[in-house]
Amino acid sequence: MSRKKLNIGLFGLGCVGFGLYEVLEKTPGLKANIKRICVKDPLKPRPIPSDQLTFNPDDILNDPEINTVVELIDDAQAAYHLVKNALQKGKAVVTANKRMIAEHLEELIHLQQQYNAPLLYEAACCASIPIIRNLEEYYDTDLLESIEGIINGSTNYILTKTSEEPVSFQQALHQAQQKGYAESNPTLDIGGFDAKYKLQLLLAHAFGIVVPPEAIFNLGIDQLSEVEFNYAREKGMKIKLIALAEKNTNGTVSAFVLPKFISKRDKLYDVDDVFNGVKTKSYFSDTQFFMGRGAGAYPTASAVLSDVSALTYDYRYEYKKRNQSERLQSDKDISLKIFLRHQPNDSLSLKLFFELVQESYLNHTSGYIIGRLALAQLKEIIRIYTSTVSAVWMEEGPPINH
Amino acid sequence: MSRKKLNIGLFGLGCVGFGLYEVLEKTPGLKANIKRICVKDPLKPRPIPSDQLTFNPDDILNDPEINTVVELIDDAQAAYHLVKNALQKGKAVVTANKRMIAEHLEELIHLQQQYNAPLLYEAACCASIPIIRNLEEYYDTDLLESIEGIINGSTNYILTKTSEEPVSFQQALHQAQQKGYAESNPTLDIGGFDAKYKLQLLLAHAFGIVVPPEAIFNLGIDQLSEVEFNYAREKGMKIKLIALAEKNTNGTVSAFVLPKFISKRDKLYDVDDVFNGVKTKSYFSDTQFFMGRGAGAYPTASAVLSDVSALTYDYRYEYKKRNQSERLQSDKDISLKIFLRHQPNDSLSLKLFFELVQESYLNHTSGYIIGRLALAQLKEIIRIYTSTVSAVWMEEGPPINH
């Protein structure tokens, strides 16, 4: 197996882009060099030789010597056009833009086949954790039952700070943004959208299911209050933002993003700060757990680099599991044990949404209901009661160890 | 990338071999079928069509249609001859035999190059955890600082049982053997040899260092007594058998296998039973943690299968890091904080071996010394005092979180 020499055109020189630039400088063993870097702002000073820089994307896209495009810009729409254009020109592409991939996954898979050009995006999901590659290669032949994890570093950082230190949610969010962990639009993170985009990628590689973002339910952490954090503390648990994809006995796959109470016995309990953690369960390997940094310039750059390295031996995703024709479970058929915090006056009307109410609590300022609820009903509750409610998923029965 | 069709010749139909047979039956998507299975005992009844079975290795080795040999027999010496022969005939080989690989690694790397035939052995190290592939591919471009882990499932099972339940060491060993977790020769496991063989493989893929087994210090769990287990319990710690490979500031790599007191804050604390756990630390990705089943027929078979799957696209290890010319730190230059349990009368003479004694304790039946000790001195102590001493490595300073 002889390795291909890569001539890279890089879009974007932000945290991750510059991280990659530095990483490449420090790993001379790799058969890859950055020929051209396309940036947006001509006035910003950069410690890069000026002949390497350009402000015109065509200098990369139309350069036949550049066989590999690395796309690391923030704007998902602009990124989509660049990536599409590059694939159509037969260039291999590496990207870390989960939103862009998630919103165009079906088309991007098609483009890869049509133009025989690979698109790799390990860095888009859990930064340094090689989860996509492992799902694609390692669970290729193993019958996967579920994948559950903390896959958004910035919300995990915020939840850790909010629950462990005397820091308000807003302060923690601000800290996360200052450290470069949170996206420029915080709603993507704290609303659970970023986690959903990643879950979409995991679904494609774990179960072969390719769906648009709207098909997956997501609830973020932005409405959580002291009531939920206190409840968690009293019970010796933590609140984590969890993404789950799980095969049901009828062959469908349930997938959603929700805050969840996590007990000490769960591996995810100790996944704090910007770390991500993913548990997989499969027929032959049983339970596996992966943990690593889920955000930050270097961890993301290292994942980008591992994709670049994989391209030197013509690696590509094969999306083999799409032939398995799995399909997503409908929201109305997913029934979960939910902790629903609400305003005191809404208790009675909210109980009507539940299949089964197991506990309810009220005081003068707030109340909560614990019971079984269909995801479709939860969606309806959020639509009607908006920011006056928040929901946290609870494990049924005894907590699971691994 | 078109996938190659594999025609497999399988040696051995024990737990793992039969596990693989079953796994292959259940994953029809893979372009691989078992053409011939070579077994030893012609009289043992097997639920396999008789025309698939043979008792003559040459029926596999000399069959030009068989392009892939999967070697899953117990006998390391016999396995070596089969694997060597198969490689010399240009066949791809997958094996799970860590001892065989560890004892002949240099030659096996050479044979792969000479005959242009790949040898894969993911299942030989941590069964279901894809650690070799991740080191080879994922840390290919990242500067690895250390790799530390629990990499022997049966000793971890024994340590878990001995420390948590009212079970003696001997009972726990017997249980492990009954469940098929322990090797037929228990010394390989409990003496830390199996962990050392795996560490050798990790060293080759993590740092490019290829050394014979004798070059690496290993101490097992067979001499541990209630004194050490009680000490661990009192301090809220557990004893785990740990393999470490760590880059020193002078560029050398320290590598050894030792029992270690593990505090609650260490990720490895919660790795119990037959689970294995591996922490890696690298310049760009920082800390990562992998956990999964380290023993058992299915987890091992699933790792074998993932190698088989990788062969369908001509994957091979490249041992790229051998060019880095790292070398192993000598035992006399590795100084560790050690808990040394001994007989009461030996206290004074044993203290002389230490660079620094920090604590010592004596009662009528036993004593212990805590202090800094060179690994070469520990080796000497074990040579002289044999089974009257035991040693446990202790973390310096505050325990490390991840």
Side-chain angles (χ1 to χ4, degrees), chain B residues 9-10 25 29 56 70 74 85 91 97 204 209 228 231 255 318:
Chain B
L10 170 64
E25 297 264 294
N56 180 4
V70 177
D74 205 36
N85 204 317
K91 296 184 197 296
N97 203 317
I209 294 175
E228 297 86 292
Y231 184 89
E318 295 192 53

Side-chain angles (χ1 to χ4, degrees), chain A residues 1 3 19 22-24 26-27 30 116 122-123 127-131 133-134 136-143 264 267 270-273 275 283-293 298-307 309-310 313-316 318 320 401-402, chain B residues 1 3 19 22-24 26-27 30 116 122-123 127-131 133-134 136-143 264 267 270-273 275 283-293 298-307 309-310 313-316 318 320 401-402:
Chain A
M1 186 163 59
R3 290 218 161 186
E22 284 191 303
V23 168
L24 267 176
K26 280 175 185 148
T27 48
L30 193 65
N116 193 28
E122 185 66 76
S128 66
I129 305 178
I131 187 67
R133 196 89 67 85
N134 276 285
E136 182 78 0
E137 293 309 305
Y138 222 79
Y139 292 96
D140 162 19
T141 51
D142 199 346
L143 308 174
K264 277 206 176 90
K267 284 278 157 230
D270 287 321
V271 178
D272 283 330
D273 298 313
F275 279 85
Y283 187 73
F284 299 121
S285 312
D286 195 11
T287 307
Q288 302 235 31
F289 178 60
F290 301 81
M291 190 179 137
R293 284 193 182 271
Y298 277 175
T300 308
S302 107
V304 170
L305 199 66
S306 109
D307 279 348
S309 170
Y313 59 89
D314 277 329
Y315 178 75
R316 59 174 53 200
E318 296 193 52
K320 291 176 287 271
N401 191 357
H402 299 297
Chain B
M1 188 162 61
R3 291 216 158 186
E22 284 191 300
V23 169
L24 266 176
K26 281 177 185 147
T27 48
L30 194 65
N116 192 28
E122 184 65 76
S128 66
I129 305 179
I131 188 66
R133 196 90 65 85
N134 276 285
E136 182 77 2
E137 293 309 306
Y138 223 79
Y139 293 96
D140 162 19
T141 50
D142 199 346
L143 307 173
K264 278 207 175 87
K267 285 277 158 231
D270 287 319
V271 178
D272 284 330
D273 298 312
F275 278 86
Y283 186 73
F284 300 120
S285 312
D286 196 12
T287 307
Q288 301 235 31
F289 178 59
F290 301 81
M291 189 182 138
R293 285 195 181 269
Y298 277 173
T300 309
S302 106
V304 170
L305 198 64
S306 109
D307 279 348
S309 171
Y313 60 87
D314 276 329
Y315 179 75
R316 57 175 55 198
E318 295 192 53
K320 290 177 288 271
N401 192 356
H402 299 295

Side-chain angles (χ1 to χ4, degrees), chain A residues 119-364:
Chain A
L119 170 69
L120 302 181
Y121 42 78
E122 185 66 76
C125 195
C126 302
S128 66
I129 305 178
I131 187 67
I132 292 180
R133 196 89 67 85
N134 276 285
L135 284 173
E136 182 78 0
E137 293 309 305
Y138 222 79
Y139 292 96
D140 162 19
T141 51
D142 199 346
L143 308 174
L144 200 70
E145 291 161 23
S146 69
I147 174 160
E148 181 180 7
I150 295 167
I151 61 177
N152 176 278
S154 32
T155 50
N156 205 41
Y157 178 86
I158 294 167
L159 288 172
T160 304
K161 293 297 160 209
T162 310
S163 67
E164 288 178 0
E165 293 170 30
V167 170
S168 75
F169 182 84
Q170 286 303 326
Q171 284 171 319
L173 170 62
H174 185 66
Q175 272 183 26
Q177 286 178 311
Q178 274 192 321
K179 295 199 173 194
Y181 298 149
E183 302 284 333
S184 51
N185 174 359
T187 310
L188 288 183
D189 285 319
I190 61 176
F193 294 93
D194 179 83
K196 178 164 76 170
Y197 301 144
K198 291 168 181 164
L199 180 58
Q200 276 180 266
L201 308 189
L202 294 176
L203 264 176
H205 293 277
F207 297 107
I209 294 175
V210 177
V211 288
E214 313 82 72
I216 299 174
F217 178 87
N218 64 298
L219 186 68
I221 62 166
D222 39 351
Q223 302 305 334
L224 293 177
S225 75
E226 270 309 297
V227 176
E228 297 85 293
F229 286 113
N230 284 336
Y231 183 89
R233 266 188 289 264
E234 279 168 18
K235 307 283 179 187
M237 298 191 289
K238 289 180 185 171
I239 300 175
K240 298 287 185 189
L241 186 64
I242 297 295
L244 173 86
E246 184 173 37
K247 212 162 182 171
N248 302 308
T249 45
N250 69 0
T252 62
V253 174
S254 296
F256 52 83
V257 173
L258 267 174
K260 185 181 180 184
F261 290 118
I262 299 286
S263 79
K264 277 206 176 90
R265 297 183 57 201
D266 192 318
K267 284 278 157 230
L268 299 174
Y269 183 89
D270 287 321
V271 178
D272 283 330
D273 298 313
V274 291
F275 279 85
N276 283 186
V278 178
K279 299 188 292 185
T280 58
K281 196 160 171 16
S282 62
Y283 187 73
F284 299 121
S285 312
D286 195 11
T287 307
Q288 302 235 31
F289 178 60
F290 301 81
M291 190 179 137
R293 284 193 182 271
Y298 277 175
T300 308
S302 107
V304 170
L305 199 66
S306 109
D307 279 348
V308 167
S309 170
L311 286 176
T312 64
Y313 59 89
D314 277 329
Y315 178 75
R316 59 174 53 200
Y317 302 142
E318 296 193 52
Y319 304 95
K320 291 176 287 271
K321 291 173 192 167
R322 291 200 74 188
N323 304 326
Q324 290 175 6
S325 65
E326 307 274 4
R327 63 183 184 79
L328 221 51
Q329 179 75 295
S330 129
D331 283 352
K332 71 179 199 315
D333 294 325
I334 300 175
S335 169
L336 299 171
K337 185 174 176 182
I338 293 288
F339 176 106
L340 186 78
R341 194 254 312 148
H342 55 76
Q343 291 185 322
N345 291 340
D346 298 330
S347 179
L348 278 176
S349 54
L350 279 167
K351 279 184 183 170
L352 299 175
F353 287 89
F354 280 74
E355 291 164 25
L356 174 76
V357 172
Q358 290 160 294
E359 290 178 46
S360 65
Y361 170 86
L362 272 179
N363 65 25
H364 290 296

